[in-house]
Amino acid sequence: MSGLPKTDADRGSKLLRLISDHDLLALSDTVTNKMIAVGSAEEAIRAIITYSKSSEELLKRKKVHRDVIFKYLANEGIVMPVNSEKHQLVKTTLEYWSSSKICQKSPADNDHVSSNAMGDGLSDLVTLGRQFCEWFFQLWNSQNPTVEQAPQEWGPQHFWGDVRLRLRAITGEENMEEFSGADLVSLRLQALPREECLLFNPNLEPQGLRTLSSAHGLVVVAVAGTIHRAQGCLGLFEQVFGLIRSPMDNNSWKIKFIDLKIRSQNSIEGTKEMDSPELTYTSSELQLLCS
């Protein structure tokens, strides 16, 4: 019995610790067919991980309740709609565990958007855009003090020195802020999750994510999503990133510009848009940013 792969085993153990001791012992009996006697919650977790045939089988167990998976994802900085069904949470968890294996980096790599984490970059723009967003939003959301995880290393090292941020907030009226320079941009972005306790949930499906590139090495990643605080959905966002490799930093990707548009819920008509936010930028508009 080989059990789960090590990376899944580590994450599965973290998830299982959110389950009550009573349910853990019952789950251990189910998974091991009562062939393994356990005397504590930690022993039960080890038995469950060892004798589970796959991550999907583990997550679909009845004792791994929907609320447990929802809380686990929230603790990891992955925000899901509060009415998500268990099968949707299982799918997101499996995708997260899979992408984490692809994007796993040594501590020394965490200072930058690692080129290794996103392949050779331009050979598969769809993969590049998705993996960049998975990396960025996990890092960004981890700055929120209400998320039960240590904040990852945020700072100006992820940006070009002359990076530009344009932030538009549409509530009843539209407010515009602009910042330039790695230090200012880094601090302003960090304040959104850290000071305002916002969580950003990107829609990484085709209607919510688009990636384009120019002949000069600029890659534009555009993504739409929902904004949350605690259990409430506050509105929608669209965010456009410009990425360029840095030959001075192991050819890793760094952020050249960000356009962030936020719309409050009261400025949005209907609920369908909230369920599956889509990009409103056209391909031609994004191509202009590449020029």
Side-chain angles (χ1 to χ4, degrees), residues 150-198:
Q152 298 178 27
E153 188 175 349
W154 178 274
Q157 69 271 18
H158 301 302
F159 305 89
W160 284 90
D162 60 351
V163 62
R164 172 186 56 78
L165 167 65
R166 183 166 60 180
L167 172 59
R168 287 186 289 166
I170 303 171
T171 51
E173 54 188 29
E174 181 172 336
N175 295 311
M176 171 81 78
E177 299 178 60
E178 293 197 28
F179 302 87
S180 60
D183 290 326
L184 280 178
V185 168
S186 172
L187 289 171
R188 183 64 186 99
L189 284 172
Q190 187 181 40
L192 294 174
R194 190 169 72 176
E195 309 299 334
E196 300 182 41
C197 294
L198 300 180

Side-chain angles (χ1 to χ4, degrees), residues 132-133 136-137 140 159 163-168 189 208-212 218-225 237-243 255-262 279-283 285-290:
F132 168 77
C133 287
F136 179 84
F137 286 98
W140 200 20
F159 305 89
V163 62
R164 172 186 56 78
L165 167 65
R166 183 166 60 180
L167 172 59
R168 287 186 289 166
L189 284 172
L209 176 66
R210 194 170 300 131
T211 309
L212 303 173
L218 174 69
V219 170
V220 173
V221 180
V223 64
F237 74 90
E238 288 184 274
Q239 196 159 4
V240 183
F241 302 87
L243 308 178
I255 301 170
K256 183 71 170 178
F257 69 80
I258 296 178
D259 283 358
L260 174 57
K261 179 171 65 176
I262 293 173
L279 282 171
T280 61
Y281 289 94
T282 65
S283 293
E285 287 173 331
L286 294 177
Q287 284 285 2
L288 288 174
L289 296 173
C290 286

Side-chain angles (χ1 to χ4, degrees), residues 84-95:
S84 297
E85 297 181 4
K86 181 177 177 179
H87 72 89
Q88 295 171 313
L89 299 172
V90 168
K91 179 176 181 289
T92 298
T93 302
L94 291 172
E95 289 175 349

Side-chain angles (χ1 to χ4, degrees), residues 75 143 153 246:
N75 289 348
Q143 307 306 305
E153 188 175 349
S246 173

Side-chain angles (χ1 to χ4, degrees), residues 8-203:
D8 286 9
D10 292 342
R11 296 180 179 93
S13 297
K14 190 173 182 180
L15 181 147
L16 290 171
R17 290 189 178 92
L18 300 175
I19 299 177
S20 69
D21 289 358
H22 178 271
D23 281 351
L24 276 176
L25 296 175
L27 180 56
S28 176
D29 283 345
T30 300
V31 172
T32 66
N33 201 23
K34 297 186 178 180
M35 298 294 290
I36 304 294
V38 297
S40 67
E42 283 300 315
E43 289 180 6
I45 290 172
R46 284 196 294 271
I48 293 164
I49 293 297
T50 300
Y51 289 90
S52 289
K53 294 177 183 177
S54 68
S55 302
E56 184 174 8
E57 178 195 71
L58 171 62
L59 292 170
K60 288 184 174 179
R61 294 283 188 183
K62 289 183 179 179
K63 292 295 184 183
V64 183
H65 299 300
R66 172 200 170 279
D67 292 349
V68 167
I69 305 176
F70 184 92
K71 184 176 181 181
Y72 168 78
L73 290 171
N75 289 348
E76 294 297 299
I78 301 170
V79 182
M80 295 290 289
V82 293
N83 60 348
S84 297
E85 297 181 4
K86 181 177 177 179
H87 72 89
Q88 295 171 313
L89 299 172
V90 168
K91 179 176 181 289
T92 298
T93 302
L94 291 172
E95 289 175 349
Y96 168 54
W97 288 358
S98 176
S99 67
S100 295
K101 291 175 205 169
I102 295 170
C103 297
Q104 193 173 24
K105 305 182 285 295
S106 67
D109 291 329
N110 286 336
D111 289 345
H112 307 286
V113 186
S114 170
S115 56
N116 292 330
M118 299 192 295
D120 64 7
L122 299 181
S123 62
D124 187 344
L125 284 175
V126 174
T127 300
L128 169 59
R130 174 181 283 271
Q131 292 186 353
F132 168 77
C133 287
E134 288 169 345
W135 170 84
F136 179 84
F137 286 98
Q138 185 182 355
L139 170 68
W140 200 20
N141 285 329
S142 77
Q143 307 306 305
N144 187 317
T146 67
V147 174
E148 295 180 12
Q149 71 172 78
Q152 298 178 27
E153 188 175 349
W154 178 274
Q157 69 271 18
H158 301 302
F159 305 89
W160 284 90
D162 60 351
V163 62
R164 172 186 56 78
L165 167 65
R166 183 166 60 180
L167 172 59
R168 287 186 289 166
I170 303 171
T171 51
E173 54 188 29
E174 181 172 336
N175 295 311
M176 171 81 78
E177 299 178 60
E178 293 197 28
F179 302 87
S180 60
D183 290 326
L184 280 178
V185 168
S186 172
L187 289 171
R188 183 64 186 99
L189 284 172
Q190 187 181 40
L192 294 174
R194 190 169 72 176
E195 309 299 334
E196 300 182 41
C197 294
L198 300 180
L199 287 169
F200 294 82
N201 182 32
N203 177 14

